[in-house]
Amino acid sequence: MTSLGGTTAIPAGVRLIIIDCFDTLVSLQTQVVSGQKSYVARKGVPLFLEHFATQAKIPVVAISDAPSAEVHAALAQAGIADRLARLYHSGNSSETLPGGLTRKRLDLPLADYGVPAVQAVYIGDSKMDERAAEHWRVPFIRVPGPEDPSFSFKALLHGPSRYSSAEFSAAFVKHYRPDQPQLPDPANRTDPDAHG
C-alpha cells in the first residue's frame, strides 16, 4: 500500500478518488488586501479535478470528520464544491474510536460507488488519514499540508510525487516547530562509507 508520499501517483485502474478536505483540498489563508482568513483551493487542485473528474470521468469525493456546514462552506468559499461528486462529513462518514478520536469511514464512498478498495485511492495529509486508509484497505497517497506551500496537486497527475517521509517530517518541524533543531535534508546526505 502506497503511503507517506513515497513515489506516489494515481494508479491506473482507479475508479474512485477520495480526498481529505481540510489542509489537503483546501487551506485557510489570510488574504493580503483584507487581512481576513478564507479557504482557498490548494495549488493545482482545480487542474487535478478537471483532469480526473471531468476528462477521465473518475468520481472525486471529499471527506472530513468536520460538520457538514463547515465542509460545504469551506469548499464553496474555495470555489470547488461543485466540482466534487459528493461530500462526506461527520454526520455521514465519521466514527468515534475509543479515547475520543474519530476515523473517516472510507467504506461508505466505496459502497456508494460500488468500487472495491483496491480500485480506489485516498489522498490525505495526516497520520490519521493514513490510519483510516490502512483500516479500510484503501491505497493511500500522503501529500504535505500547508507546511509546504510549494506542493501542487499537479504532481499527482503524472507522478511520482517527489516527497518522502523524511521530507514530510523536516517540512513539518520547520513550519510548526521552528524552535526545534532541523532534521538533515535527505537530498544532501553523504554516505559515510563512501571513499573518494
Side-chain angles (χ1 to χ4, degrees), residues 14-183:
V14 162
R15 294 176 42 214
L16 176 66
I17 299 172
I18 307 166
I19 307 181
D20 170 59
C21 180
F22 295 101
D23 292 335
T24 303
L25 271 176
V26 299
S27 64
L28 191 59
Q29 294 185 1
T30 303
Q31 301 305 312
V32 176
V33 176
S34 67
Q36 298 290 322
K37 290 190 174 194
S38 62
Y39 283 101
V40 297
R42 296 282 305 277
K43 189 184 294 185
V45 163
L47 181 64
F48 179 92
L49 294 174
E50 171 67 23
H51 177 80
F52 286 105
T54 305
Q55 294 172 12
K57 305 292 187 207
I58 297 172
V60 180
V61 301
I63 192 166
S64 176
D65 51 14
S68 172
E70 288 179 33
V71 175
H72 284 274
L75 294 171
Q77 192 173 58
I80 59 171
D82 61 341
R83 294 178 171 204
L84 298 160
R86 194 171 288 176
L87 305 179
Y88 294 88
H89 47 78
S90 64
N92 67 4
S93 66
S94 183
E95 62 184 341
T96 303
L97 302 174
L101 294 175
T102 60
R103 175 171 54 215
K104 296 170 183 117
R105 293 206 44 204
L106 305 181
D107 62 320
L108 297 176
L110 296 174
D112 288 347
Y113 287 90
V115 173
V118 296
Q119 291 183 331
V121 67
Y122 178 43
I123 303 170
D125 70 310
S126 71
K127 190 69 175 171
M128 291 300 292
D129 290 330
E130 181 182 8
R131 288 181 183 151
E134 287 173 357
H135 180 78
W136 300 110
R137 305 180 88 50
V138 176
F140 179 67
I141 295 174
R142 185 173 179 186
V143 298
E147 71 271 10
D148 184 353
S150 69
F151 173 77
S152 173
F153 266 73
K154 185 178 178 182
L156 301 181
L157 291 179
H158 307 292
S161 168
R162 67 177 178 86
Y163 290 92
S164 69
S165 298
E167 288 174 302
F168 276 115
S169 298
F172 184 87
V173 168
K174 186 176 180 181
H175 182 77
Y176 291 105
R177 300 293 308 270
D179 57 320
Q180 296 295 308
Q182 298 302 302
L183 298 172

